[in-house]
Coordinates of all heavy atoms in Angstrom, one line a residue:
R1 N 4.6 6.9 8.4 CA 4.5 8.4 8.3 C 3.5 8.7 7.2 O 3.5 8.1 6.1 CB 5.9 9.0 7.9 CG 6.8 8.9 9.0 CD 8.1 9.6 8.7 NE 8.8 8.6 7.9 CZ 10.1 8.8 7.5 NH1 10.7 9.9 7.8 NH2 10.7 7.9 6.7
F2 N 2.6 9.6 7.6 CA 1.4 9.9 6.8 C 1.6 11.4 6.4 O 1.7 12.3 7.3 CB 0.2 9.6 7.6 CG -1.1 10.0 6.9 CD1 -1.4 9.4 5.7 CD2 -2.0 10.8 7.5 CE1 -2.6 9.7 5.0 CE2 -3.2 11.1 6.8 CZ -3.5 10.5 5.6
R3 N 1.6 11.7 5.1 CA 1.7 13.1 4.6 C 0.6 13.2 3.6 O 0.1 12.2 3.0 CB 3.0 13.3 3.9 CG 4.3 13.1 4.8 CD 4.4 14.1 5.9 NE 5.6 13.9 6.7 CZ 5.7 13.3 7.9 NH1 4.6 12.8 8.4 NH2 6.8 13.3 8.5
P4 N 0.2 14.4 3.3 CA -0.8 14.6 2.2 C -0.5 13.9 0.9 O 0.6 14.1 0.3 CB -0.9 16.1 2.0 CG -0.4 16.7 3.3 CD 0.6 15.7 3.8
G5 N -1.3 12.9 0.6 CA -1.1 12.2 -0.7 C 0.1 11.1 -0.7 O 0.3 10.5 -1.7
R6 N 0.7 10.9 0.5 CA 1.8 10.0 0.6 C 1.8 9.2 1.9 O 1.4 9.8 2.9 CB 3.2 10.7 0.4 CG 3.4 11.4 -0.9 CD 4.7 12.0 -1.0 NE 5.2 12.7 0.2 CZ 6.4 12.8 0.6 NH1 7.4 12.2 -0.1 NH2 6.8 13.5 1.6
L7 N 2.4 8.1 1.9 CA 2.5 7.2 3.0 C 3.9 6.6 3.0 O 4.3 6.0 2.0 CB 1.5 6.1 3.1 CG 1.6 5.1 4.2 CD1 0.9 5.7 5.4 CD2 1.0 3.8 3.8
G8 N 4.6 6.8 4.1 CA 6.0 6.2 4.2 C 6.0 5.1 5.3 O 5.4 5.2 6.3
I9 N 6.7 4.0 5.0 CA 6.8 2.9 5.9 C 8.3 2.6 5.9 O 8.9 2.3 4.9 CB 6.0 1.7 5.4 CG1 4.5 2.0 5.3 CG2 6.2 0.5 6.4 CD1 3.7 0.9 4.7
S10 N 8.9 2.5 7.2 CA 10.3 2.2 7.4 C 10.3 0.9 8.3 O 9.7 0.9 9.3 CB 11.0 3.3 8.1 OG 11.0 4.4 7.3
V11 N 11.0 -0.1 7.8 CA 11.1 -1.3 8.6 C 12.6 -1.4 9.1 O 13.5 -1.3 8.3 CB 10.8 -2.6 7.7 CG1 11.0 -3.8 8.5 CG2 9.4 -2.5 7.2
P12 N 12.8 -1.5 10.4 CA 14.2 -1.5 10.9 C 14.9 -2.8 10.6 O 14.3 -3.7 10.2 CB 14.0 -1.4 12.4 CG 12.6 -1.9 12.7 CD 11.8 -1.6 11.5
S13 N 16.2 -2.7 10.7 CA 17.1 -3.8 10.5 C 16.6 -5.0 11.3 O 16.3 -4.9 12.5 CB 18.5 -3.5 10.8 OG 19.4 -4.5 10.5
S14 N 16.6 -6.2 10.7 CA 16.0 -7.4 11.4 C 16.4 -8.6 10.6 O 16.6 -8.6 9.4 CB 14.5 -7.3 11.6 OG 14.0 -8.5 12.0
T15 N 16.4 -9.8 11.3 CA 16.6 -11.1 10.6 C 15.2 -11.7 10.2 O 15.2 -12.7 9.6 CB 17.3 -12.1 11.5 OG1 16.6 -12.3 12.7 CG2 18.7 -11.6 11.8
L16 N 14.1 -11.0 10.5 CA 12.8 -11.4 10.2 C 12.5 -11.2 8.7 O 13.2 -10.3 8.1 CB 11.8 -10.7 11.1 CG 11.9 -11.0 12.6 CD1 10.9 -10.0 13.3 CD2 11.6 -12.4 12.9
G17 N 11.5 -11.8 8.2 CA 11.1 -11.6 6.8 C 10.5 -10.3 6.5 O 10.4 -9.4 7.4
P18 N 10.2 -10.0 5.3 CA 9.6 -8.7 4.9 C 8.2 -8.5 5.5 O 7.6 -9.5 5.9 CB 9.5 -8.8 3.4 CG 9.5 -10.2 3.0 CD 10.3 -10.9 4.1
V19 N 7.8 -7.2 5.6 CA 6.5 -6.9 6.1 C 5.6 -6.7 5.0 O 5.8 -5.8 4.1 CB 6.6 -5.6 7.0 CG1 5.2 -5.1 7.4 CG2 7.5 -5.8 8.2
P20 N 4.5 -7.5 4.9 CA 3.5 -7.3 3.8 C 2.6 -6.1 4.1 O 2.3 -5.9 5.3 CB 2.8 -8.6 3.8 CG 2.9 -9.2 5.1 CD 4.2 -8.6 5.7
R21 N 2.2 -5.4 3.1 CA 1.3 -4.3 3.3 C 0.3 -4.3 2.2 O 0.6 -4.7 1.1 CB 2.0 -2.9 3.5 CG 2.7 -2.5 2.3 CD 1.8 -1.5 1.5 NE 2.5 -1.1 0.3 CZ 1.9 -1.3 -0.9 NH1 0.8 -1.9 -1.0 NH2 2.5 -0.9 -2.0
V22 N -0.9 -3.8 2.5 CA -2.0 -3.7 1.5 C -2.6 -2.3 1.5 O -3.0 -1.8 2.6 CB -3.1 -4.7 1.8 CG1 -4.2 -4.7 0.7 CG2 -2.6 -6.1 1.9
L23 N -2.5 -1.6 0.4 CA -3.1 -0.3 0.3 C -4.4 -0.3 -0.5 O -4.7 -1.4 -1.1 CB -2.1 0.6 -0.5 CG -0.8 1.1 0.3 CD1 0.1 1.9 -0.6 CD2 -1.2 1.9 1.5
P24 N -5.1 0.8 -0.5 CA -6.4 0.8 -1.2 C -6.3 0.3 -2.7 O -5.2 0.5 -3.3 CB -6.8 2.3 -1.2 CG -6.1 2.8 0.0 CD -4.8 2.1 0.1
G25 N -7.3 -0.4 -3.2 CA -7.2 -1.0 -4.5 C -6.5 -2.3 -4.5 O -6.1 -2.8 -5.5
D26 N -6.3 -2.9 -3.3 CA -5.7 -4.2 -3.1 C -4.2 -4.2 -3.7 O -3.7 -5.2 -4.2 CB -6.5 -5.3 -3.8 CG -6.2 -6.6 -3.2 OD1 -5.9 -6.7 -2.0 OD2 -6.3 -7.6 -3.9
R27 N -3.6 -3.0 -3.6 CA -2.2 -2.9 -4.0 C -1.3 -3.6 -2.9 O -1.3 -3.1 -1.7 CB -1.7 -1.4 -4.1 CG -2.5 -0.8 -5.2 CD -2.0 0.7 -5.5 NE -1.7 1.4 -4.3 CZ -1.4 2.7 -4.2 NH1 -1.5 3.4 -5.2 NH2 -1.1 3.2 -3.0
R28 N -0.6 -4.6 -3.2 CA 0.1 -5.4 -2.3 C 1.6 -5.3 -2.6 O 2.0 -5.3 -3.7 CB -0.3 -6.9 -2.3 CG -1.7 -7.1 -1.9 CD -2.2 -8.5 -2.1 NE -3.6 -8.6 -1.7 CZ -4.0 -8.9 -0.5 NH1 -3.1 -9.3 0.4 NH2 -5.3 -9.0 -0.2
E29 N 2.4 -5.3 -1.5 CA 3.8 -5.2 -1.6 C 4.5 -5.7 -0.3 O 3.8 -5.7 0.7 CB 4.3 -3.7 -1.9 CG 5.5 -3.7 -2.8 CD 5.7 -2.3 -3.3 OE1 4.9 -1.7 -4.0 OE2 6.8 -1.7 -2.9
R30 N 5.7 -6.0 -0.4 CA 6.5 -6.4 0.8 C 7.6 -5.4 1.0 O 8.3 -5.1 0.0 CB 7.0 -7.8 0.7 CG 5.9 -8.9 0.6 CD 6.5 -10.3 0.5 NE 5.4 -11.2 0.5 CZ 4.9 -11.7 1.6 NH1 5.2 -11.3 2.8 NH2 3.9 -12.6 1.6
I31 N 7.8 -5.1 2.2 CA 8.9 -4.1 2.6 C 9.9 -4.9 3.4 O 9.6 -5.4 4.5 CB 8.3 -2.9 3.3 CG1 7.2 -2.3 2.5 CG2 9.4 -1.9 3.6 CD1 6.4 -1.3 3.2
A32 N 11.1 -5.0 2.9 CA 12.2 -5.8 3.5 C 12.7 -5.0 4.7 O 12.6 -3.8 4.8 CB 13.3 -6.1 2.6
A33 N 13.4 -5.7 5.6 CA 14.0 -5.1 6.8 C 15.1 -4.1 6.3 O 15.7 -4.4 5.2 CB 14.7 -6.2 7.6
S34 N 15.3 -3.1 7.0 CA 16.2 -2.0 6.6 C 15.8 -1.2 5.4 O 16.6 -0.6 4.7 CB 17.7 -2.5 6.4 OG 18.1 -3.2 7.6
Q35 N 14.5 -1.3 5.0 CA 14.1 -0.6 3.9 C 13.0 0.5 4.2 O 12.2 0.3 5.2 CB 13.4 -1.6 2.9 CG 13.1 -1.0 1.6 CD 12.5 -2.1 0.6 OE1 11.9 -3.0 1.0 NE2 12.8 -1.9 -0.7
E36 N 13.0 1.6 3.5 CA 12.0 2.6 3.7 C 11.3 2.8 2.3 O 12.0 2.9 1.3 CB 12.6 3.9 4.1 CG 11.5 5.0 4.2 CD 12.1 6.4 4.7 OE1 13.2 6.7 4.2 OE2 11.4 7.0 5.4
R37 N 10.0 2.8 2.3 CA 9.3 3.0 1.0 C 8.2 4.0 1.2 O 7.6 4.2 2.2 CB 8.6 1.6 0.6 CG 9.5 0.5 0.4 CD 10.3 0.5 -0.8 NE 9.5 0.8 -2.0 CZ 8.9 0.0 -2.8 NH1 8.9 -1.3 -2.5 NH2 8.2 0.3 -3.8
W38 N 8.0 4.8 0.1 CA 7.0 5.8 0.1 C 6.0 5.5 -1.0 O 6.4 5.0 -2.1 CB 7.5 7.2 -0.1 CG 8.2 7.8 1.1 CD1 9.5 7.6 1.5 CD2 7.5 8.6 2.1 NE1 9.7 8.3 2.7 CE2 8.5 8.9 3.1 CE3 6.2 9.1 2.2 CZ2 8.2 9.6 4.2 CZ3 6.0 9.8 3.3 CH2 6.9 10.1 4.3

């Protein structure tokens, strides 16, 4: 989900590992299954 100045990522429930993401400035994070992050 893309909103002015914000980005939301929701990963559905799963037995798979976390989803890695990279934002501008090489900001790296992992988003676990069943998690939503803004």
